[in-house]
Amino acid sequence: MQAVTTDFGIQEALQQLGVKAINEGTSTGSNNFSNGELIKSYSPVDGQLIGKVKTTTKEDYERMMDAAISAFKIWRIIPAPQRGEIVRQFGEKLREKKEALGKLVSYEMGKSYQEGLGEVQEMIDICDFAVGLSRQLHGLTMHSERPGHRMYEQYHPLGVVGIISAFNFPVAVWAWNTALAWICGDVCVWKPSEKAPMCGVACQNIAAEVFAENNLPEGISNLINGDYRVGEMLTNDYRVPLISATGSIRMGKIVAQSVAKRLGRSLLELGGNNAIIVTPDAGIKMTVIGAVFGAVGTAGQRCTSTRRLIIHEDIYDKVKDAVVKAYGQLRIGNPLDENNHVGPLIDTDAVKMYEDALTKVVEEGGTIVVEGAVLSGEGYESGCYVKPAIAEAEAHFKIVQHETFAPVLYLLKYSGDVENAITIQNGVVQGLSSAIMTNNLREAERFLSVEGSDCGIANVNIGTSGAEIGGAFGGEKETGGGRESGSDAWKVYMRRQTNTINYTTDLPLAQGIKFDL
């Protein structure tokens, strides 16, 4: 095992992205100012300090909000197709800086370099989607019951959109929200995870460059940094009509209550306890590929990661043996080395959560079939590298019901028909992503029916992990019910208005009511 080093162009990447040794924690375009304390960002790859970011103080926040509100008054009256041109330019900047940003994502978060590049590509893709959308922010026309009247609906920008993102997708989820919000005429205030603040600084620098080149207000794109206390400034602020928050169920419930108290809107993307059902008619090779990548990709730290594999008893041993064999081929190490499959967990707290899960599944009566371990020695000095583990378990185990944000896969056995597997799959509080592996059309359609998967995402012969930006992304139940990215998810960033025009000289009332004067 070669020692992990930073000799992968990291310093060059930071320079290209304008990320300094000490970065301002509050940013409105190129106006940086903060008197806050410092957040230190250490890479889980090798434990090295990447840089420091000043946290946002209350005074900083108020100055930033003043700039955002002022910018909104200008941005909202720019025609949507012209706003689309700005987003197109932002996408072009991302193309130019894709390698640098992908490396920073990989190094600060710990996902593989290819996944880091893929995350930046998602940003580019949503920009392309948003540019087309900028000419399609359409409403409907309706027939009025009154003669000489016309009814229609239109959509207007909301105002300031607050975005709270998680460490596991430190740039893409922000882009999913901000590209659409910008197209809709909103301005954005972003609080990235304090576990990946450098990625936030890098993205803000890119956005600020685009707005400056177009002589647009700095406050269209805004960055704040800090812990939950900074997040509370945003969620409790009546000037922010929409909060889009990605994270744990626990965090989402806190955000939802805070925003609901002031009758604001919440877009929540929370936990996932995702399962793949494997029926007797499944293709084993496809199943193994989907299950293994879903379980170990991003070291099991995706909201769509595969946590449960629900296998029919007739093929249980065959599937188990194939998956276990595949795990034996996994290479764990520096995520910037493209020969490796699995990088580190985000920090040592995540490592402890991983260890606790393996302890608990055994205590509840489960059996470990692929041993887990915390790796140490040369190349693993950060203490964040673990071996992906597999355990045989029962669906009712408390630890199986819980989302463990780490590479732990539970094998569950079912008998009878596919309805029994669907019952097991739906028997958790989370409802994000789901999949079935089968070549049986009836099973596939049953899984997709109203009596099938209760998740926001349901796939056939595709794993649970990952999603294309063209479809709306999100889940049901305690996943929060939010939708981001494609389809008509743009509507959440706008306010709907119904208009009626009377082009006659009379004023008839609705429902035939008479009110003669």
Side-chain angles (χ1 to χ4, degrees):
M1 174 73 192
Q2 292 183 346
V4 178
T5 71
T6 59
D7 188 23
F8 287 84
I10 291 298
Q11 293 305 318
E12 293 85 351
L14 293 173
Q15 187 174 7
Q16 287 183 40
L17 297 166
V19 179
K20 307 171 185 176
I22 299 179
N23 300 271
E24 298 296 338
T26 306
S27 180
T28 299
S30 59
N31 252 346
N32 297 327
F33 37 81
S34 178
N35 299 313
E37 300 174 354
L38 291 174
I39 297 174
K40 297 179 180 179
S41 179
Y42 292 94
S43 171
V45 174
D46 55 11
Q48 296 298 308
L49 178 66
I50 305 172
K52 304 173 185 178
V53 176
K54 294 181 181 178
T55 56
T56 299
T57 67
K58 179 63 175 175
E59 293 74 18
D60 298 332
Y61 179 83
E62 288 301 325
R63 287 195 293 268
M64 181 275 304
M65 280 300 301
D66 287 344
I69 292 169
S70 178
F72 172 61
K73 294 176 182 177
I74 298 172
W75 184 241
R76 66 183 177 181
I77 61 174
I78 295 175
Q82 292 183 28
R83 297 195 294 259
E85 167 57 19
I86 303 303
V87 173
R88 186 196 67 78
Q89 292 178 33
F90 178 62
E92 288 302 308
K93 290 284 187 186
L94 290 173
R95 286 180 170 88
E96 294 171 11
K97 299 178 186 292
K98 179 178 177 179
E99 181 178 344
L101 187 54
K103 285 182 179 179
L104 177 57
V105 168
S106 177
Y107 189 57
E108 187 171 36
M109 185 269 149
K111 64 176 60 175
S112 74
Y113 179 44
Q114 285 302 313
E115 289 184 83
L117 292 175
E119 184 169 347
V120 180
Q121 186 60 50
E122 282 192 40
M123 301 175 75
I124 295 168
D125 291 344
I126 196 64
C127 286
D128 289 349
F129 178 88
V131 172
L133 180 64
S134 68
R135 296 180 182 272
Q136 300 179 66
L137 302 177
H138 48 72
L140 300 173
T141 59
M142 291 77 70
H143 288 281
S144 172
E145 65 185 43
R146 290 168 285 186
H149 285 60
R150 182 168 69 88
M151 292 178 64
Y152 68 96
E153 65 180 20
Q154 60 182 335
Y155 290 84
H156 293 305
L158 276 177
V160 180
V161 171
I163 302 167
I164 301 173
S165 63
F167 74 85
N168 59 331
F169 279 85
V171 297
V173 170
W174 168 72
W176 285 2
N177 284 273
T178 203
L180 296 189
W182 284 342
I183 287 295
C184 292
D186 302 316
V187 301
C188 297
V189 178
W190 177 27
K191 183 204 164 306
S193 169
E194 60 268 35
K195 296 183 179 182
M198 299 299 145
C199 286
V201 171
C203 290
Q204 175 66 9
N205 289 345
I206 296 170
E209 189 177 338
V210 173
F211 288 116
E213 289 173 354
N214 287 273
N215 297 313
L216 287 166
E218 297 172 335
I220 297 170
S221 179
N222 306 280
L223 181 73
I224 56 176
N225 269 293
D227 59 17
Y228 70 93
R229 291 169 294 184
V230 174
E232 286 177 348
M233 295 182 200
L234 200 58
T235 57
N236 292 325
D237 194 338
Y238 71 92
R239 296 167 295 183
V240 184
L242 171 66
I243 297 289
S244 175
T246 303
S248 67
I249 291 173
R250 181 193 63 81
M251 180 275 284
K253 289 181 177 180
I254 294 171
V255 170
Q257 291 177 49
S258 297
V259 177
K261 284 180 181 179
R262 57 182 179 84
L263 297 180
R265 299 189 197 179
S266 296
L267 193 171
L268 301 175
E269 297 290 356
L270 309 177
N273 194 346
N274 316 294
I276 298 177
I277 295 172
V278 188
T279 80
D281 288 320
I284 301 300
K285 182 178 179 180
M286 291 178 64
T287 297
V288 171
I289 294 172
V292 174
F293 176 73
V296 308
T298 322
Q301 297 173 114
R302 293 185 175 208
C303 51
T304 55
S305 290
T306 305
R307 312 287 178 201
R308 299 173 293 149
L309 203 57
I310 305 169
I311 311 167
H312 193 274
E313 60 182 359
D314 289 352
I315 58 169
Y316 181 86
D317 289 335
K318 186 177 182 180
V319 173
K320 181 181 79 170
D321 291 346
V323 173
V324 169
K325 182 179 178 181
Y327 267 52
Q329 301 173 45
L330 294 175
R331 293 185 295 274
I332 307 164
N334 185 346
L336 288 168
D337 182 344
E338 296 182 48
N339 292 314
N340 292 324
H341 300 109
V342 183
L345 293 175
I346 186 65
D347 55 24
T348 53
D349 289 340
V351 172
K352 185 179 185 306
M353 180 175 59
Y354 158 88
E355 293 180 297
D356 289 347
L358 293 177
T359 298
K360 289 176 182 176
V361 73
V362 172
E363 289 176 348
E364 291 193 68
T367 302
I368 303 295
V369 294
V370 173
E371 294 285 345
V374 180
L375 302 177
S376 60
E378 186 179 10
Y380 303 123
E381 289 86 354
S382 69
C384 297
Y385 291 87
V386 302
K387 289 180 61 179
I390 301 176
E392 293 181 294
E394 298 292 335
H396 65 270
F397 287 1
K398 289 183 179 179
I399 191 59
V400 174
Q401 295 282 314
H402 175 74
E403 179 193 31
T404 300
F405 226 55
V408 178
L409 177 64
Y410 301 113
L411 304 185
L412 311 176
K413 185 185 294 185
Y414 82 96
S415 59
D417 57 26
V418 74
E419 281 78 6
N420 296 329
I422 292 172
T423 298
I424 294 172
Q425 186 226 269
N426 291 348
V428 295
V429 298
Q430 307 88 350
L432 179 52
S433 187
S434 59
I436 187 170
M437 294 292 183
T438 182
N439 290 317
N440 184 311
L441 179 62
R442 290 187 175 89
E443 289 179 334
E445 290 294 340
R446 178 67 177 77
F447 177 74
L448 300 175
S449 74
V450 68
E451 298 175 298
S453 169
D454 63 3
C455 295
I457 299 170
N459 299 328
V460 176
N461 292 329
I462 301 173
T464 63
S465 185
E468 297 182 32
I469 61 93
F473 179 89
E476 299 300 323
K477 302 190 292 188
E478 291 195 6
T479 298
R483 291 299 185 275
E484 297 171 325
S485 193
S487 186
D488 64 349
W490 61 271
K491 291 180 179 179
V492 75
Y493 305 95
M494 305 195 83
R495 58 182 177 87
R496 185 192 305 237
Q497 184 181 82
T498 300
N499 307 115
T500 305
I501 299 172
N502 177 4
Y503 55 91
T504 73
T505 57
D506 298 320
L507 184 56
L509 302 177
Q511 290 85 43
I513 295 174
K514 301 295 183 182
F515 189 74
D516 295 326
L517 294 177

